[in-house]
Each structure stands twice: as C-alpha cells, then as structure tokens.
Amino acid sequence: MKKNLLLLPTFAMTLFCACTENVNQQESTWPQPCMEGNSGNWVYNTQISDEFEAPFDTAKWYDHNPTWLGRQPSLFRKENVRVENGQLILTGKRENVADAPEGYHTFTTAAVQSKKKVLYGFFEIKCKPMNSALSSAFWLYTQDSIKQEEIDIFEICGRNDAAPSYEKIYFATSHYILKKQNLQISDHVEHLTEGRWADQWITAGLKWTRDELVWYVNGKEIRHRKNDFWHSPETINFDSEAFPSWWGLPSDQDNGGEFQIEYFRYWTEKDQPSLQTVYINDMKE
C-alpha cells in the first residue's frame, strides 16, 4: 500500500479526517506535522522516518527490544513483528512458548526499537490500536546506570472486558527516574474519547523541544508541560505489553490482536540547524 507524500498546501490544513497531511510551501514535496497552529517551521527527516513499505528496515529498527524481554507474563517475540501492505504490524497472542524464560507464559507480544537515538523534534505515527488488553504503545526512552528518561506518547488498552472505561482512555505520560536515589517523577494525562480507541485510526504526535513537551491526537493538543528533565537522546519504541497490575490481564475471551502502524515520521525545527539530533543507540543488547 503505497503512500503519497505529495500533499496539500499549508493553507488547506484542517482537522477533518484525523488531520489530513499538509506541506510547507517552500519544501513542497514532504509532509508537515499534524498539529493545530503549525507554523511550517519543520524539516522532515528521511533518515529516521519510515513509511513501512516491505521489507522491514533492519537498518532503522530492531524487531525486538535489545535490553528487555517484555513485561511478565508477556514475552516479546520477533515472530510477532512484520511489515505487510504498507503497515508495521505488532501482534499480541494468547500462547505459551516452549522453553520461555521463567515468569513468561500465556501471552506473547511484540516490540520494535530504533537503532538510533533522537534528541528533540516532532514525532508522529498514524495507527490503529490493538483490540486487546495487551497494550498498544508509542514511546521514547533511554536509560543507563544513573537514570532513565521516558516520554510515553501514548499507552492504550484497546479492550477491557472487566473495566470498559479503559477502552476510551489515551494515557500520555512522562517519567524521570534517578536510580541510585530511588527517585521517580511521573505524571500523566488521561485523554478521553467518546468511542473506543481500538475502533479508529488515529494520528498521534509529540513536540519535544528544550523548553516543552506537547502531545497531540489528530492534530489537537491534549497535553502540555514544561521540559524540566528530558534532555538526553532517546530511542523510538512501538510495543505491546501485558499490564497485570495496572488494567489487568486479558479476559478469557481476549486472545490478543494487531497494533497497526501506517507510518512513523520525524521532523526537526528549521531554525536550529546546528543542533545535533540523531545519535547511535548505545544501550546494550
């Protein structure tokens, strides 16, 4: 499924149809971020962005999380990651894997992580969340022996047979952890929709600058906070996890599903050409 990047001019940008893409009239062949009030002050980065045409691009992505097996009891499996029909598809399943590590059972899920780290910019995907209590998530993070920085652009529980209200919540979260001091700073916004997130395609974005973090859904701002702590290059992640202590494991009738991602797009600010934004992913496998 080819995607056309020759798009509408900036004056035509509206928020209908989940934010139709527009272009900067000076840079007329590439898309601009889906955001209300967009000034066009963005440079599209083809090195990091991906339209997910087959095959899976191993130069840009790991088909797993190099430092984590998954949130127990769900096990990340490379077999649950594929590119098909112009989409990156992460699958969650009810299954047991022979010789799985201790603590992993009942469910397998999927993770994709960038082979580069990125500092600041605008991050955006068009996706359809999984119709399951196995999560759909788009997030940035880095960690070392001293700290962990994490920006969850979204975490979505697409189905919850015990507590259906979860199905309408879009969790936009930020974490900063100092490990030796056992200090964690976490906050989030629960953005509600009238329908279920798993029933719709959405455009999800984050503007991350030295000064602020701004979350967008379908071009509309849903959260804004000062950037107090997030100033290290971070990896780009898409994954699905089980959350037994948060919204609970899938019911007996919930056998998983597919988290479908049509594209990932990344931009830098035009007026900061000297700022280095792309770094190697140096977290160890």
Side-chain angles (χ1 to χ4, degrees), residues 208-236:
W208 175 23
T209 73
R210 285 172 171 166
D211 301 319
E212 64 182 359
L213 299 169
V214 188
W215 286 254
Y216 296 86
V217 178
N218 297 336
K220 297 182 179 181
E221 180 181 326
I222 63 161
R223 184 187 178 198
H224 182 286
R225 81 172 327 277
K226 180 181 178 182
N227 186 2
D228 300 295
F229 305 104
W230 297 270
H231 299 290
S232 300
E234 301 189 12
T235 58
I236 302 156

PDB file of all heavy atoms in Angstrom, residues 208-236:
ATOM      1  N   TRP A 208       8.702  17.833  21.067  1.00  0.00           N
ATOM      2  CA  TRP A 208       9.671  17.778  22.157  1.00  0.00           C
ATOM      3  C   TRP A 208      10.766  18.796  21.863  1.00  0.00           C
ATOM      4  O   TRP A 208      11.514  18.641  20.892  1.00  0.00           O
ATOM      5  CB  TRP A 208      10.235  16.365  22.262  1.00  0.00           C
ATOM      6  CG  TRP A 208      11.330  16.151  23.258  1.00  0.00           C
ATOM      7  CD1 TRP A 208      11.616  16.885  24.364  1.00  0.00           C
ATOM      8  CD2 TRP A 208      12.298  15.088  23.227  1.00  0.00           C
ATOM      9  NE1 TRP A 208      12.698  16.363  25.033  1.00  0.00           N
ATOM     10  CE2 TRP A 208      13.130  15.255  24.359  1.00  0.00           C
ATOM     11  CE3 TRP A 208      12.528  14.026  22.370  1.00  0.00           C
ATOM     12  CZ2 TRP A 208      14.194  14.387  24.633  1.00  0.00           C
ATOM     13  CZ3 TRP A 208      13.575  13.157  22.643  1.00  0.00           C
ATOM     14  CH2 TRP A 208      14.390  13.335  23.768  1.00  0.00           C
ATOM     15  N   THR A 209      10.842  19.840  22.649  1.00  0.00           N
ATOM     16  CA  THR A 209      11.874  20.854  22.493  1.00  0.00           C
ATOM     17  C   THR A 209      12.621  21.020  23.803  1.00  0.00           C
ATOM     18  O   THR A 209      12.289  20.395  24.813  1.00  0.00           O
ATOM     19  CB  THR A 209      11.270  22.207  22.069  1.00  0.00           C
ATOM     20  OG1 THR A 209      10.584  22.790  23.193  1.00  0.00           O
ATOM     21  CG2 THR A 209      10.302  22.050  20.901  1.00  0.00           C
ATOM     22  N   ARG A 210      13.623  21.904  23.814  1.00  0.00           N
ATOM     23  CA  ARG A 210      14.356  22.179  25.051  1.00  0.00           C
ATOM     24  C   ARG A 210      13.435  22.731  26.134  1.00  0.00           C
ATOM     25  O   ARG A 210      13.691  22.580  27.322  1.00  0.00           O
ATOM     26  CB  ARG A 210      15.456  23.203  24.770  1.00  0.00           C
ATOM     27  CG  ARG A 210      16.659  22.659  24.022  1.00  0.00           C
ATOM     28  CD  ARG A 210      17.586  23.779  23.620  1.00  0.00           C
ATOM     29  NE  ARG A 210      18.851  23.292  23.097  1.00  0.00           N
ATOM     30  CZ  ARG A 210      19.711  24.044  22.432  1.00  0.00           C
ATOM     31  NH1 ARG A 210      19.427  25.310  22.202  1.00  0.00           N
ATOM     32  NH2 ARG A 210      20.843  23.541  21.997  1.00  0.00           N
ATOM     33  N   ASP A 211      12.359  23.364  25.725  1.00  0.00           N
ATOM     34  CA  ASP A 211      11.512  24.092  26.668  1.00  0.00           C
ATOM     35  C   ASP A 211      10.221  23.382  27.042  1.00  0.00           C
ATOM     36  O   ASP A 211       9.679  23.623  28.125  1.00  0.00           O
ATOM     37  CB  ASP A 211      11.157  25.469  26.094  1.00  0.00           C
ATOM     38  CG  ASP A 211      12.396  26.303  25.812  1.00  0.00           C
ATOM     39  OD1 ASP A 211      13.319  26.282  26.645  1.00  0.00           O
ATOM     40  OD2 ASP A 211      12.442  26.957  24.755  1.00  0.00           O
ATOM     41  N   GLU A 212       9.701  22.513  26.158  1.00  0.00           N
ATOM     42  CA  GLU A 212       8.357  21.992  26.396  1.00  0.00           C
ATOM     43  C   GLU A 212       8.147  20.620  25.769  1.00  0.00           C
ATOM     44  O   GLU A 212       8.875  20.198  24.869  1.00  0.00           O
ATOM     45  CB  GLU A 212       7.308  22.962  25.833  1.00  0.00           C
ATOM     46  CG  GLU A 212       7.386  23.127  24.321  1.00  0.00           C
ATOM     47  CD  GLU A 212       6.377  24.118  23.768  1.00  0.00           C
ATOM     48  OE1 GLU A 212       5.583  24.671  24.562  1.00  0.00           O
ATOM     49  OE2 GLU A 212       6.368  24.344  22.542  1.00  0.00           O
ATOM     50  N   LEU A 213       7.114  19.946  26.285  1.00  0.00           N
ATOM     51  CA  LEU A 213       6.581  18.714  25.711  1.00  0.00           C
ATOM     52  C   LEU A 213       5.109  18.957  25.422  1.00  0.00           C
ATOM     53  O   LEU A 213       4.364  19.397  26.300  1.00  0.00           O
ATOM     54  CB  LEU A 213       6.721  17.546  26.694  1.00  0.00           C
ATOM     55  CG  LEU A 213       8.135  17.163  27.142  1.00  0.00           C
ATOM     56  CD1 LEU A 213       8.056  16.180  28.305  1.00  0.00           C
ATOM     57  CD2 LEU A 213       8.923  16.562  26.002  1.00  0.00           C
ATOM     58  N   VAL A 214       4.692  18.666  24.186  1.00  0.00           N
ATOM     59  CA  VAL A 214       3.299  18.862  23.801  1.00  0.00           C
ATOM     60  C   VAL A 214       2.817  17.611  23.073  1.00  0.00           C
ATOM     61  O   VAL A 214       3.433  17.179  22.099  1.00  0.00           O
ATOM     62  CB  VAL A 214       3.113  20.088  22.885  1.00  0.00           C
ATOM     63  CG1 VAL A 214       1.626  20.368  22.686  1.00  0.00           C
ATOM     64  CG2 VAL A 214       3.816  21.319  23.455  1.00  0.00           C
ATOM     65  N   TRP A 215       1.700  17.049  23.564  1.00  0.00           N
ATOM     66  CA  TRP A 215       1.100  15.853  22.980  1.00  0.00           C
ATOM     67  C   TRP A 215      -0.092  16.249  22.094  1.00  0.00           C
ATOM     68  O   TRP A 215      -0.875  17.138  22.457  1.00  0.00           O
ATOM     69  CB  TRP A 215       0.596  14.913  24.072  1.00  0.00           C
ATOM     70  CG  TRP A 215       1.619  14.147  24.843  1.00  0.00           C
ATOM     71  CD1 TRP A 215       1.898  12.812  24.715  1.00  0.00           C
ATOM     72  CD2 TRP A 215       2.471  14.614  25.904  1.00  0.00           C
ATOM     73  NE1 TRP A 215       2.860  12.432  25.622  1.00  0.00           N
ATOM     74  CE2 TRP A 215       3.243  13.522  26.367  1.00  0.00           C
ATOM     75  CE3 TRP A 215       2.664  15.865  26.494  1.00  0.00           C
ATOM     76  CZ2 TRP A 215       4.171  13.633  27.386  1.00  0.00           C
ATOM     77  CZ3 TRP A 215       3.604  15.992  27.507  1.00  0.00           C
ATOM     78  CH2 TRP A 215       4.350  14.891  27.947  1.00  0.00           C
ATOM     79  N   TYR A 216      -0.237  15.547  20.952  1.00  0.00           N
ATOM     80  CA  TYR A 216      -1.331  15.817  20.023  1.00  0.00           C
ATOM     81  C   TYR A 216      -2.029  14.513  19.638  1.00  0.00           C
ATOM     82  O   TYR A 216      -1.388  13.463  19.495  1.00  0.00           O
ATOM     83  CB  TYR A 216      -0.804  16.454  18.733  1.00  0.00           C
ATOM     84  CG  TYR A 216      -0.168  17.806  18.909  1.00  0.00           C
ATOM     85  CD1 TYR A 216       1.184  17.917  19.256  1.00  0.00           C
ATOM     86  CD2 TYR A 216      -0.903  18.974  18.730  1.00  0.00           C
ATOM     87  CE1 TYR A 216       1.780  19.169  19.416  1.00  0.00           C
ATOM     88  CE2 TYR A 216      -0.308  20.229  18.890  1.00  0.00           C
ATOM     89  CZ  TYR A 216       1.029  20.313  19.233  1.00  0.00           C
ATOM     90  OH  TYR A 216       1.615  21.546  19.395  1.00  0.00           O
ATOM     91  N   VAL A 217      -3.347  14.592  19.464  1.00  0.00           N
ATOM     92  CA  VAL A 217      -4.119  13.500  18.881  1.00  0.00           C
ATOM     93  C   VAL A 217      -4.953  14.079  17.752  1.00  0.00           C
ATOM     94  O   VAL A 217      -5.708  15.040  17.962  1.00  0.00           O
ATOM     95  CB  VAL A 217      -5.041  12.816  19.912  1.00  0.00           C
ATOM     96  CG1 VAL A 217      -5.855  11.705  19.240  1.00  0.00           C
ATOM     97  CG2 VAL A 217      -4.239  12.240  21.064  1.00  0.00           C
ATOM     98  N   ASN A 218      -4.783  13.526  16.565  1.00  0.00           N
ATOM     99  CA  ASN A 218      -5.492  14.007  15.377  1.00  0.00           C
ATOM    100  C   ASN A 218      -5.333  15.515  15.203  1.00  0.00           C
ATOM    101  O   ASN A 218      -6.265  16.229  14.834  1.00  0.00           O
ATOM    102  CB  ASN A 218      -6.969  13.619  15.430  1.00  0.00           C
ATOM    103  CG  ASN A 218      -7.168  12.115  15.411  1.00  0.00           C
ATOM    104  OD1 ASN A 218      -6.312  11.373  14.925  1.00  0.00           O
ATOM    105  ND2 ASN A 218      -8.273  11.654  15.954  1.00  0.00           N
ATOM    106  N   GLY A 219      -4.128  15.995  15.497  1.00  0.00           N
ATOM    107  CA  GLY A 219      -3.795  17.387  15.290  1.00  0.00           C
ATOM    108  C   GLY A 219      -4.145  18.318  16.424  1.00  0.00           C
ATOM    109  O   GLY A 219      -3.730  19.475  16.424  1.00  0.00           O
ATOM    110  N   LYS A 220      -4.884  17.852  17.421  1.00  0.00           N
ATOM    111  CA  LYS A 220      -5.320  18.698  18.524  1.00  0.00           C
ATOM    112  C   LYS A 220      -4.450  18.469  19.761  1.00  0.00           C
ATOM    113  O   LYS A 220      -4.173  17.325  20.136  1.00  0.00           O
ATOM    114  CB  LYS A 220      -6.786  18.423  18.867  1.00  0.00           C
ATOM    115  CG  LYS A 220      -7.738  18.754  17.732  1.00  0.00           C
ATOM    116  CD  LYS A 220      -9.181  18.508  18.153  1.00  0.00           C
ATOM    117  CE  LYS A 220     -10.138  18.858  17.028  1.00  0.00           C
ATOM    118  NZ  LYS A 220     -11.556  18.640  17.416  1.00  0.00           N
ATOM    119  N   GLU A 221      -4.038  19.548  20.394  1.00  0.00           N
ATOM    120  CA  GLU A 221      -3.231  19.451  21.606  1.00  0.00           C
ATOM    121  C   GLU A 221      -4.057  18.866  22.740  1.00  0.00           C
ATOM    122  O   GLU A 221      -5.162  19.325  23.021  1.00  0.00           O
ATOM    123  CB  GLU A 221      -2.715  20.828  22.004  1.00  0.00           C
ATOM    124  CG  GLU A 221      -1.869  20.825  23.263  1.00  0.00           C
ATOM    125  CD  GLU A 221      -1.388  22.211  23.668  1.00  0.00           C
ATOM    126  OE1 GLU A 221      -1.117  23.041  22.766  1.00  0.00           O
ATOM    127  OE2 GLU A 221      -1.298  22.467  24.886  1.00  0.00           O
ATOM    128  N   ILE A 222      -3.497  17.850  23.417  1.00  0.00           N
ATOM    129  CA  ILE A 222      -4.199  17.239  24.552  1.00  0.00           C
ATOM    130  C   ILE A 222      -3.420  17.384  25.857  1.00  0.00           C
ATOM    131  O   ILE A 222      -3.978  17.191  26.934  1.00  0.00           O
ATOM    132  CB  ILE A 222      -4.498  15.746  24.311  1.00  0.00           C
ATOM    133  CG1 ILE A 222      -3.189  14.940  24.180  1.00  0.00           C
ATOM    134  CG2 ILE A 222      -5.396  15.563  23.086  1.00  0.00           C
ATOM    135  CD1 ILE A 222      -3.367  13.460  24.405  1.00  0.00           C
ATOM    136  N   ARG A 223      -2.130  17.721  25.748  1.00  0.00           N
ATOM    137  CA  ARG A 223      -1.331  17.873  26.968  1.00  0.00           C
ATOM    138  C   ARG A 223      -0.125  18.754  26.676  1.00  0.00           C
ATOM    139  O   ARG A 223       0.450  18.683  25.578  1.00  0.00           O
ATOM    140  CB  ARG A 223      -0.857  16.512  27.482  1.00  0.00           C
ATOM    141  CG  ARG A 223      -0.112  16.641  28.808  1.00  0.00           C
ATOM    142  CD  ARG A 223       0.527  15.372  29.304  1.00  0.00           C
ATOM    143  NE  ARG A 223       1.238  15.682  30.539  1.00  0.00           N
ATOM    144  CZ  ARG A 223       2.179  14.928  31.078  1.00  0.00           C
ATOM    145  NH1 ARG A 223       2.534  13.786  30.520  1.00  0.00           N
ATOM    146  NH2 ARG A 223       2.779  15.287  32.199  1.00  0.00           N
ATOM    147  N   HIS A 224       0.252  19.551  27.673  1.00  0.00           N
ATOM    148  CA  HIS A 224       1.396  20.441  27.540  1.00  0.00           C
ATOM    149  C   HIS A 224       2.096  20.515  28.898  1.00  0.00           C
ATOM    150  O   HIS A 224       1.436  20.649  29.917  1.00  0.00           O
ATOM    151  CB  HIS A 224       0.919  21.835  27.113  1.00  0.00           C
ATOM    152  CG  HIS A 224       2.022  22.826  26.891  1.00  0.00           C
ATOM    153  ND1 HIS A 224       2.725  23.413  27.918  1.00  0.00           N
ATOM    154  CD2 HIS A 224       2.550  23.341  25.753  1.00  0.00           C
ATOM    155  CE1 HIS A 224       3.621  24.241  27.429  1.00  0.00           C
ATOM    156  NE2 HIS A 224       3.544  24.216  26.117  1.00  0.00           N
ATOM    157  N   ARG A 225       3.402  20.384  28.919  1.00  0.00           N
ATOM    158  CA  ARG A 225       4.154  20.555  30.159  1.00  0.00           C
ATOM    159  C   ARG A 225       5.524  21.145  29.858  1.00  0.00           C
ATOM    160  O   ARG A 225       6.069  20.996  28.760  1.00  0.00           O
ATOM    161  CB  ARG A 225       4.292  19.244  30.936  1.00  0.00           C
ATOM    162  CG  ARG A 225       5.387  18.388  30.421  1.00  0.00           C
ATOM    163  CD  ARG A 225       5.786  17.135  31.205  1.00  0.00           C
ATOM    164  NE  ARG A 225       5.701  17.115  32.614  1.00  0.00           N
ATOM    165  CZ  ARG A 225       6.630  17.586  33.447  1.00  0.00           C
ATOM    166  NH1 ARG A 225       7.716  18.177  32.963  1.00  0.00           N
ATOM    167  NH2 ARG A 225       6.490  17.475  34.749  1.00  0.00           N
ATOM    168  N   LYS A 226       6.080  21.813  30.851  1.00  0.00           N
ATOM    169  CA  LYS A 226       7.441  22.328  30.768  1.00  0.00           C
ATOM    170  C   LYS A 226       8.419  21.169  30.695  1.00  0.00           C
ATOM    171  O   LYS A 226       8.225  20.135  31.339  1.00  0.00           O
ATOM    172  CB  LYS A 226       7.737  23.186  31.998  1.00  0.00           C
ATOM    173  CG  LYS A 226       9.127  23.795  32.033  1.00  0.00           C
ATOM    174  CD  LYS A 226       9.329  24.606  33.308  1.00  0.00           C
ATOM    175  CE  LYS A 226      10.736  25.178  33.387  1.00  0.00           C
ATOM    176  NZ  LYS A 226      10.954  25.937  34.656  1.00  0.00           N
ATOM    177  N   ASN A 227       9.479  21.325  29.916  1.00  0.00           N
ATOM    178  CA  ASN A 227      10.501  20.292  29.844  1.00  0.00           C
ATOM    179  C   ASN A 227      11.538  20.513  30.936  1.00  0.00           C
ATOM    180  O   ASN A 227      12.542  21.205  30.748  1.00  0.00           O
ATOM    181  CB  ASN A 227      11.176  20.282  28.467  1.00  0.00           C
ATOM    182  CG  ASN A 227      12.148  19.124  28.328  1.00  0.00           C
ATOM    183  OD1 ASN A 227      12.295  18.305  29.234  1.00  0.00           O
ATOM    184  ND2 ASN A 227      12.803  19.050  27.183  1.00  0.00           N
ATOM    185  N   ASP A 228      11.298  19.900  32.081  1.00  0.00           N
ATOM    186  CA  ASP A 228      12.194  20.031  33.223  1.00  0.00           C
ATOM    187  C   ASP A 228      13.387  19.079  33.162  1.00  0.00           C
ATOM    188  O   ASP A 228      14.464  19.396  33.674  1.00  0.00           O
ATOM    189  CB  ASP A 228      11.440  19.749  34.523  1.00  0.00           C
ATOM    190  CG  ASP A 228      10.293  20.702  34.750  1.00  0.00           C
ATOM    191  OD1 ASP A 228      10.545  21.899  34.924  1.00  0.00           O
ATOM    192  OD2 ASP A 228       9.136  20.227  34.739  1.00  0.00           O
ATOM    193  N   PHE A 229      13.194  17.889  32.571  1.00  0.00           N
ATOM    194  CA  PHE A 229      14.165  16.816  32.762  1.00  0.00           C
ATOM    195  C   PHE A 229      14.614  16.102  31.495  1.00  0.00           C
ATOM    196  O   PHE A 229      15.637  15.415  31.520  1.00  0.00           O
ATOM    197  CB  PHE A 229      13.575  15.752  33.711  1.00  0.00           C
ATOM    198  CG  PHE A 229      13.104  16.302  35.020  1.00  0.00           C
ATOM    199  CD1 PHE A 229      11.750  16.483  35.263  1.00  0.00           C
ATOM    200  CD2 PHE A 229      14.007  16.660  36.003  1.00  0.00           C
ATOM    201  CE1 PHE A 229      11.301  16.987  36.468  1.00  0.00           C
ATOM    202  CE2 PHE A 229      13.567  17.170  37.214  1.00  0.00           C
ATOM    203  CZ  PHE A 229      12.219  17.343  37.451  1.00  0.00           C
ATOM    204  N   TRP A 230      13.884  16.190  30.411  1.00  0.00           N
ATOM    205  CA  TRP A 230      14.093  15.301  29.269  1.00  0.00           C
ATOM    206  C   TRP A 230      15.009  15.952  28.244  1.00  0.00           C
ATOM    207  O   TRP A 230      14.572  16.546  27.264  1.00  0.00           O
ATOM    208  CB  TRP A 230      12.733  14.918  28.679  1.00  0.00           C
ATOM    209  CG  TRP A 230      11.925  14.143  29.673  1.00  0.00           C
ATOM    210  CD1 TRP A 230      11.911  12.790  29.838  1.00  0.00           C
ATOM    211  CD2 TRP A 230      11.043  14.671  30.674  1.00  0.00           C
ATOM    212  NE1 TRP A 230      11.079  12.447  30.875  1.00  0.00           N
ATOM    213  CE2 TRP A 230      10.531  13.576  31.417  1.00  0.00           C
ATOM    214  CE3 TRP A 230      10.627  15.958  31.019  1.00  0.00           C
ATOM    215  CZ2 TRP A 230       9.633  13.738  32.458  1.00  0.00           C
ATOM    216  CZ3 TRP A 230       9.743  16.119  32.072  1.00  0.00           C
ATOM    217  CH2 TRP A 230       9.249  15.019  32.773  1.00  0.00           C
ATOM    218  N   HIS A 231      16.321  15.769  28.466  1.00  0.00           N
ATOM    219  CA  HIS A 231      17.309  16.440  27.634  1.00  0.00           C
ATOM    220  C   HIS A 231      18.400  15.487  27.150  1.00  0.00           C
ATOM    221  O   HIS A 231      19.504  15.923  26.810  1.00  0.00           O
ATOM    222  CB  HIS A 231      17.933  17.618  28.395  1.00  0.00           C
ATOM    223  CG  HIS A 231      16.933  18.662  28.787  1.00  0.00           C
ATOM    224  ND1 HIS A 231      16.314  19.480  27.872  1.00  0.00           N
ATOM    225  CD2 HIS A 231      16.424  18.998  30.001  1.00  0.00           C
ATOM    226  CE1 HIS A 231      15.480  20.301  28.507  1.00  0.00           C
ATOM    227  NE2 HIS A 231      15.526  20.019  29.796  1.00  0.00           N
ATOM    228  N   SER A 232      18.118  14.202  27.118  1.00  0.00           N
ATOM    229  CA  SER A 232      19.052  13.203  26.606  1.00  0.00           C
ATOM    230  C   SER A 232      18.470  12.563  25.352  1.00  0.00           C
ATOM    231  O   SER A 232      17.240  12.411  25.242  1.00  0.00           O
ATOM    232  CB  SER A 232      19.305  12.107  27.648  1.00  0.00           C
ATOM    233  OG  SER A 232      19.862  12.640  28.825  1.00  0.00           O
ATOM    234  N   PRO A 233      19.294  12.143  24.391  1.00  0.00           N
ATOM    235  CA  PRO A 233      18.779  11.407  23.235  1.00  0.00           C
ATOM    236  C   PRO A 233      18.078  10.129  23.687  1.00  0.00           C
ATOM    237  O   PRO A 233      18.566   9.420  24.570  1.00  0.00           O
ATOM    238  CB  PRO A 233      20.045  11.096  22.426  1.00  0.00           C
ATOM    239  CG  PRO A 233      21.046  12.115  22.876  1.00  0.00           C
ATOM    240  CD  PRO A 233      20.755  12.355  24.322  1.00  0.00           C
ATOM    241  N   GLU A 234      16.948   9.832  23.063  1.00  0.00           N
ATOM    242  CA  GLU A 234      16.140   8.675  23.451  1.00  0.00           C
ATOM    243  C   GLU A 234      15.830   7.798  22.244  1.00  0.00           C
ATOM    244  O   GLU A 234      15.795   8.269  21.099  1.00  0.00           O
ATOM    245  CB  GLU A 234      14.835   9.143  24.114  1.00  0.00           C
ATOM    246  CG  GLU A 234      15.073   9.998  25.349  1.00  0.00           C
ATOM    247  CD  GLU A 234      13.807  10.276  26.143  1.00  0.00           C
ATOM    248  OE1 GLU A 234      12.769   9.637  25.875  1.00  0.00           O
ATOM    249  OE2 GLU A 234      13.857  11.139  27.058  1.00  0.00           O
ATOM    250  N   THR A 235      15.588   6.529  22.503  1.00  0.00           N
ATOM    251  CA  THR A 235      15.181   5.608  21.451  1.00  0.00           C
ATOM    252  C   THR A 235      13.696   5.778  21.134  1.00  0.00           C
ATOM    253  O   THR A 235      12.912   6.245  21.967  1.00  0.00           O
ATOM    254  CB  THR A 235      15.434   4.153  21.867  1.00  0.00           C
ATOM    255  OG1 THR A 235      14.705   3.880  23.079  1.00  0.00           O
ATOM    256  CG2 THR A 235      16.912   3.886  22.097  1.00  0.00           C
ATOM    257  N   ILE A 236      13.306   5.384  19.942  1.00  0.00           N
ATOM    258  CA  ILE A 236      11.911   5.395  19.499  1.00  0.00           C
ATOM    259  C   ILE A 236      11.387   3.968  19.616  1.00  0.00           C
ATOM    260  O   ILE A 236      12.033   3.028  19.144  1.00  0.00           O
ATOM    261  CB  ILE A 236      11.808   5.879  18.050  1.00  0.00           C
ATOM    262  CG1 ILE A 236      12.426   7.280  17.908  1.00  0.00           C
ATOM    263  CG2 ILE A 236      10.362   5.878  17.566  1.00  0.00           C
ATOM    264  CD1 ILE A 236      12.888   7.592  16.503  1.00  0.00           C
TER     265      ILE A 236
END
